[in-house]
Amino acid sequence: MKIFVAKDYQEMSKKAAGIVASQVILKNSAVLGLATGSTPEGMYRRLVEMGREGAVDFRGVTTFNLDEYLGLDPGHPQSYHHYMYRHLFDHINADPAKIHIPAGNARDMASYCREYDEKIAAAGGIDLQVLGIGGNGHIGFNEPGEYLKTGTHVVDLTEETVEANSRFFASREEVPRQAVTMGMGSIMKAGRILLLASGKGKARAIKDAVSGRVTTRIPASFLQLHRDVVLILDEEAAALL
Ligand code: GLP
């Protein structure tokens, strides 16, 4: 595990964008796994700038997003689908046919999840997976529990996650209680993993994630078993290391 401590959010975002951009420059047909949340917004802003400056060409890139709320239409302002277009896809030259974001409103979610995994495999697997981290150590929407699932699946969100994500909705009642997420297997199969964390609310989860112990109670702790993980933290998120 490589850990970079950036002085602030800005520097974290710049470093992360640099890594994603290098991946695309080195392999024009790179397969990227992408995350949502407030943490990667600055990284996406920087990538958009780099695209505009002509420093990166996204035309050949295939993307797979980690997760989506169950029951939200893609056009819902809080859907991760909407987030991805607003922060990235509306502003770069990626090919829409190569963009994949899990649908939270598929008729048959079980087959949909299976097909999502098949599409990742057919694309040759993920070269670089970007992750944020929940305050409870979740990655994607793989919540702490007795066991973790390997493939894409529907998950019940913990109260803590509903609470944390309620800041984006008009009220707590509006926050979906379920989501669809890539499983731990899909994440762990990525060639390289880039996890970003910012702010003191993530310090505990980061400490537990790199503790030397692996537990389903901290899904991010499994990243210690992956051979190519880069953590980019700001000083607050790194405070307990
Ligand atoms: C959300 C997402 C995760 C994200 C995490 C942290 O629930 N499913 O992919 O990494 O929570 O979000 P934020 O970056 O807003 O703190």
Side-chain angles (χ1 to χ4, degrees), residues 23 29-30 58 65 72 76 89 92 104 120 136 141 156 160 162 164 179 183 200 204 212-213 226 228:
Q23 173 66 69
S29 61
F58 294 96
N65 260 80
L72 291 196
H76 188 288
F89 297 135
I92 62 171
I120 298 174
N136 64 358
F141 267 132
D156 294 329
E160 200 174 346
V162 170
K200 51 181 185 302
R204 183 79 235 172
R213 293 183 189 178
H226 191 283
D228 194 351

Side-chain angles (χ1 to χ4, degrees), residues 46-88:
R46 182 69 197 124
L47 284 172
V48 168
E49 281 167 17
M50 292 173 99
R52 286 195 181 129
E53 289 159 5
V56 202
D57 184 348
F58 294 96
R59 265 176 306 180
V61 164
T62 298
T63 67
F64 288 93
N65 260 80
L66 277 170
D67 47 15
E68 178 59 286
Y69 289 115
L70 211 74
L72 291 196
D73 276 346
H76 188 288
Q78 293 314 332
S79 75
Y80 287 169
H81 193 278
H82 191 263
Y83 170 107
M84 286 309 299
Y85 278 84
R86 183 156 47 100
H87 292 289
L88 186 68

